[in-house]
Structures are given as structure tokens and as C-alpha cells.
Amino acid sequence: MTKFKLRSSALDILLRVDNGGAYSHLLIDQLIKSNRVAEKDHGLLTEIVYGSIQRKLTLAYFTKKFVKKNAKLDDWVKWLLYLSFYQMYYLERVPDHAVIHEAVGIAKERGHKGIASFVNGVLRQAQREGFPDFENIVDESEKLSIRASHPQWLVNRWIEQYGYEKTTSMCEENLITKPFSVRIQPQKISREEAMLQLQQEGYEVKPSIFSSQGIIVEGNVLKSSLFKQHLLTIQDQSSMLVAEMMDLSDNMTVLDACSAPGGKTTHIGEKLNNTGQIFAYDLHEKKTKLVKNKAADLGLTNITTQAADSRNLANFHTEGTFDRVLIDAPCSGLGVIRGKPDIKYQKTEQDISNLANIQKQLLENISPLLKKDGKILYSTCTIDQEENEQVVQAFLKENPKFEVDPTFFDSLPNDIQASFGLSNVGLQIFPDDYHTDGFFLTRLRLKNQ
């Protein structure tokens, strides 16, 4: 694929994400797997697609300087400018003249001579005059919104919950590529063996403090022999903490109420040493197949999958069935913006409230399935208090027989205990704390155990 075709394909992805709500990481993966993109160009494709989405509000701000206020741009023209501005402003290794040449070629192919001339004029003006700074923006939250490209409603919401300084740190962290992390399959290889082999293959590695199975890897670990042999699972470090904090023992009966795509489910299976039984549910059959296939790849035989609305699991199981329950609740995903930048533009405050109601229903309806001496692990990949602390507080208020497990905080890894501010109901990990996904988790149990 030529650089022209690469940028044209990137533009197609951006349009599908913006107009149809498609997910950029899935579209990039599909294009790469089609073998139409040379391996040496995988990085550039990913960079310009993710970067243009991550910086959309900043790029729109730039566009206002160079395009007349009343000009009506077709979506593809707008995104072609964004794509080009991103490369010119943020990518030093890509020469401006190459960006402009390719953009004008795309404009000729998709539009007409007048559009091509317009694109050429706008980009050359930006090249001559330079891009505007943000100092003329008076309102501080608006300035942060545009500079760090997060919707202003979200910036204001985080400022209200966490303050301006923390919000700034999170927004800036969300623009940086996070480190790659993997989890070993401990029945097949030790962490030490895996790290040694990865080093021999040329990767830089270090152990994760979140999980005894976790490794932080610099480089494309998907190409490693260990990954190809299903000895490694791609998983964010904060996500690994979930199974670690479930207080699991061999031969337990475990419920994973919202299991797809299976990273946490299979981690539980590994922590159980492939003993006991895990009942893994998700709403759609297609998603439960992902869990089933992942378990098969890892050689785990203690996982049973089924499609169901987990608010109705009383139809499948009697009260007091499970030793452990994981409710990794559907959420806004505002903790994983770095890897899925589309999320910050697609979600609304109403979405957060709707999801919080579902989360409460899940806790309310699933909790009777717990054994008297059992424990529930509640987690989300968001940093919003309405989906985290407030959900747990509401559940505990309406169900006074439950409490936050008093041993939960003491059983956290020492480095995490020392580093994070702990609320009275759980642990909130922010994306800028350890360069991981933002995550919330807590452990609940019945009182008088």
C-alpha cells in the first residue's frame, strides 16, 4: 500500500468512526489483518488514525483559523484537514510537503479541482503562518478542553469530582500511548521464564506490581513466540488486579456476570489452577464465544459460557450458589480513553446515569446468589464517581446486611496501598497514577462472617 492509499484508508476509518459510531481499534485491526498494509506502515496508520481522533477538538480549533466561519465542509474534507493538520503539527518525522501532496491527491480523487485547490490553499497557509496557540482562550476549562481535546462537559465533570490539577493530569495522560502489558499462563510458564525468553527475543520487560502474572513489555509482543503459543494474554495491568483481589482458592464455584471478551474470566480460571467451575455470562452469544475461544487457547477447562442478561441470573441459579462473584459492570469506559479515544466523544452525561442504573440493578439482582461466606468483586473501567463510589454506596444503603470487606484494602499489593488514595468504599485507579487504564474495584461481603 502506497502512502497515498494509507492516508486514504485512514480517512475512510475516521469517517466511519465519526459518522457511524464504529470503533477505530477494530477497523484498524481489520485493515491490518487484510494484509493490504505493509508491516512497516502499521505504526503510521495507527498513529494518524488514533492521533486524529485523540486530538479532534484541537484540530477543529486549528481549522477555525484557516477556514472561513460560514464555509460548509463535507465530512470527508473536514477530516482530511484534521488528518493533515495532525501530521503537520504533531509528527516531526513526516515532512509537511509530503502531507500536503498526499492530501491534495486525495481531494482530487474524492472531489473536484476546486476542492483540491481549497485543501492545498488551507494547508499551505497553515504551513506559512503556523498553528494558533491556546492563550487567547479565557475560560480555563474550555482551554483545557481544546488543548487536551476532551469534551468540555467531561472536563467540567472531572474538575467538580477531582479538581483542576488532577483533571489536567488525566487529560494529558489520555493523549499518551500506554505501555503494553501481558499476563502469563502460570500452568504453562513462570513469569521469570517468560521475561527471560522475551528478553532473548529483543523485548524490554519488567514485572508488574499489579499481578504476579503481569509483565510490562516494550515492543509489539503480538509477534513474540510466547504469544503465538498462547502463553501470554494481552491485559491492562489495572484489569489484572481484579482477579488478584477476588481472594480465590482452588475448587471454588465462581460467577462472572459480565465476562466478555474473557480476559478477567480466564485470569480467574488460572488463579483457580484450572479447578472448580466458572459460570461466565454475557448478553450476546457472539461475545460469549470470545470467552469460550480464549479459554480454549489457554487450555482452561473450568469455564462454562452462556448468553444471558445477568440481571436475570436468578432464572439459572438458586440463592447461595457462588463462593465468589465478579460483576465487571458495563460502564462508560472513561478510564480507557487512551486506548479507545472514540469513547470521549460518543458518551454523554445521560449515558453515565443510565449505566449507573444498570450497575445498581446488577448488584441488587445478583447479590442473592452469593453464599453466606462468599465475596463479590465489583469493578468498572471508568473513573466517574456516579458509576463507582455512588453505585456501591447506594447498594450498601439499600442492603445493610452487606459491607465492604474490611480485609480488601490490606490485601492490595503493598506498592498500591502506599501510592493510591483509598475511599471508604473501594480503590479508584486513575490513568495517570501508574500509566494504566483508569479502574475502580471493591470487594463486598455479608456482615458477621
Side-chain angles (χ1 to χ4, degrees):
M1 180 181 283
T2 65
K3 291 293 190 293
F4 174 84
K5 288 295 185 182
L6 181 78
R7 290 181 170 91
S8 186
S9 296
L11 179 58
D12 287 335
I13 291 174
L14 291 168
L15 287 169
R16 288 184 64 185
V17 170
D18 190 50
N19 296 331
Y23 289 110
S24 55
H25 66 291
L26 297 179
L27 295 178
I28 291 171
D29 189 51
Q30 289 171 10
L31 184 60
I32 287 174
K33 285 181 176 177
S34 72
N35 293 319
R36 289 187 288 126
V37 182
E39 187 174 328
K40 63 183 177 64
D41 291 329
H42 290 180
L44 179 61
L45 173 69
T46 303
E47 172 72 33
I48 60 179
V49 171
Y50 273 17
S52 298
I53 296 171
Q54 284 281 32
R55 303 279 186 171
K56 182 173 78 168
L57 300 184
T58 310
L59 301 171
Y61 176 72
F62 291 164
T63 303
K64 288 179 182 179
K65 176 181 177 180
F66 304 111
V67 176
K68 291 180 181 178
K69 195 171 184 180
N70 59 352
K72 292 185 178 180
L73 302 180
D74 288 342
D75 285 346
W76 72 266
V77 177
K78 177 188 72 176
W79 275 103
L80 180 58
L81 292 177
Y82 290 179
L83 184 71
S84 302
F85 284 160
Y86 176 77
Q87 295 169 84
M88 293 169 70
Y89 188 79
Y90 292 106
L91 299 186
E92 293 182 0
R93 67 182 182 276
V94 180
D96 286 356
H97 67 82
V99 175
I100 296 170
H101 176 75
E102 299 292 358
V104 171
I106 292 170
K108 286 179 180 177
E109 182 181 72
R110 299 195 181 213
H112 51 74
K113 187 176 180 180
I115 290 292
S117 178
F118 167 78
V119 168
N120 183 61
V122 168
L123 296 181
R124 292 199 179 278
Q125 183 185 357
Q127 184 185 33
R128 285 194 310 272
E129 298 179 7
F131 293 92
D133 59 27
F134 312 101
E135 296 311 310
N136 292 330
I137 305 171
V138 177
D139 183 271
E140 288 299 322
S141 71
E142 181 186 4
K143 184 187 292 185
L144 178 57
S145 168
I146 292 172
R147 181 174 60 80
S149 199
H150 283 62
Q152 193 170 0
W153 72 264
L154 185 57
V155 169
N156 288 336
R157 188 177 178 95
W158 287 353
I159 290 173
E160 183 179 347
Q161 292 182 4
Y162 302 114
Y164 182 83
E165 185 177 340
K166 185 64 175 178
T167 299
T168 300
S169 180
M170 289 193 293
C171 288
E172 290 175 348
E173 186 73 23
N174 283 338
L175 299 172
I176 303 169
T177 302
K178 70 177 180 179
F180 228 105
S181 57
V182 295
R183 189 188 82 231
I184 61 155
Q185 210 307 18
Q187 280 81 54
K188 297 182 177 181
I189 194 170
S190 71
R191 180 161 70 174
E192 292 71 24
E193 290 171 327
M195 290 176 66
L196 180 60
Q197 189 161 332
L198 287 169
Q199 287 173 325
Q200 290 172 346
E201 292 182 20
Y203 297 95
E204 291 186 23
V205 299
K206 61 180 179 180
S208 169
I209 65 167
F210 285 78
S211 169
S212 60
Q213 295 174 233
I215 304 173
I216 303 168
V217 185
E218 188 173 318
N220 187 359
V221 74
L222 299 178
K223 299 183 183 300
S224 73
S225 62
L226 295 183
F227 183 78
K228 293 174 182 177
Q229 296 171 56
H230 305 299
L231 300 177
L232 302 177
T233 296
I234 306 298
Q235 189 175 15
D236 185 75
Q237 293 181 82
S238 55
S239 175
M240 293 181 205
L241 192 57
V242 171
E244 296 289 347
M245 294 304 298
M246 287 182 69
D247 192 18
L248 296 162
S249 300
D250 287 0
N251 298 309
M252 281 184 168
T253 303
V254 179
L255 169 64
D256 186 349
C258 312
S259 62
K264 299 178 192 69
T265 317
T266 51
H267 194 188
I268 295 168
E270 291 165 355
K271 298 295 289 184
L272 292 175
N273 295 308
N274 207 19
T275 68
Q277 190 167 17
I278 303 165
F279 292 86
Y281 290 92
D282 215 276
L283 192 57
H284 303 290
E285 183 70 34
K286 184 178 180 180
K287 288 190 172 184
T288 61
K289 286 181 180 177
L290 296 175
V291 183
K292 187 176 182 179
N293 292 340
K294 185 62 184 171
D297 286 344
L298 294 170
L300 296 169
T301 57
N302 59 347
I303 298 171
T304 301
T305 62
Q306 187 171 341
D309 185 332
S310 288
R311 289 171 290 186
N312 302 322
L313 290 183
N315 296 332
F316 300 89
H317 302 282
T318 58
E319 290 189 8
T321 296
F322 295 102
D323 298 291
R324 297 289 182 270
V325 171
L326 171 59
I327 302 176
D328 184 47
C331 70
S332 61
L334 295 175
V336 298
I337 287 173
R338 196 156 37 167
K340 299 176 181 178
D342 338 48
I343 286 173
K344 60 185 174 182
Y345 309 116
Q346 295 172 351
K347 298 299 181 184
T348 66
E349 290 193 273
Q350 187 58 52
D351 290 332
I352 293 172
S353 295
N354 293 342
L355 286 161
N357 288 330
I358 293 172
Q359 292 154 2
K360 291 171 188 173
Q361 291 169 22
L362 286 166
L363 270 169
E364 191 72 38
N365 294 0
I366 292 171
S367 57
L369 303 180
L370 189 69
K371 289 181 179 179
K372 288 183 179 180
D373 59 349
K375 296 179 182 182
I376 298 174
L377 199 297
Y378 174 82
S379 64
T380 72
C381 59
T382 185
I383 59 173
D384 196 278
Q385 291 177 355
E386 186 175 353
E387 299 178 85
N388 296 335
E389 288 96 336
Q390 292 176 26
V391 167
V392 176
Q393 288 164 347
F395 173 75
L396 293 176
K397 183 177 180 180
E398 294 166 12
N399 297 271
K401 61 186 177 180
F402 278 91
E403 65 180 354
V404 175
D405 182 355
T407 67
F408 169 73
F409 299 108
D410 291 337
S411 54
L412 286 165
N414 290 334
D415 289 334
I416 294 175
Q417 284 187 51
S419 301
F420 292 125
L422 307 172
S423 74
N424 63 340
V425 295
L427 169 68
Q428 178 67 68
I429 302 170
F430 297 99
D432 56 323
D433 288 329
Y434 267 98
H435 312 297
T436 65
D437 287 341
F439 228 88
F440 175 85
L441 61 162
T442 192
R443 195 166 68 208
L444 308 176
R445 70 175 192 180
L446 289 161
K447 292 179 179 176
N448 303 317
Q449 287 193 22

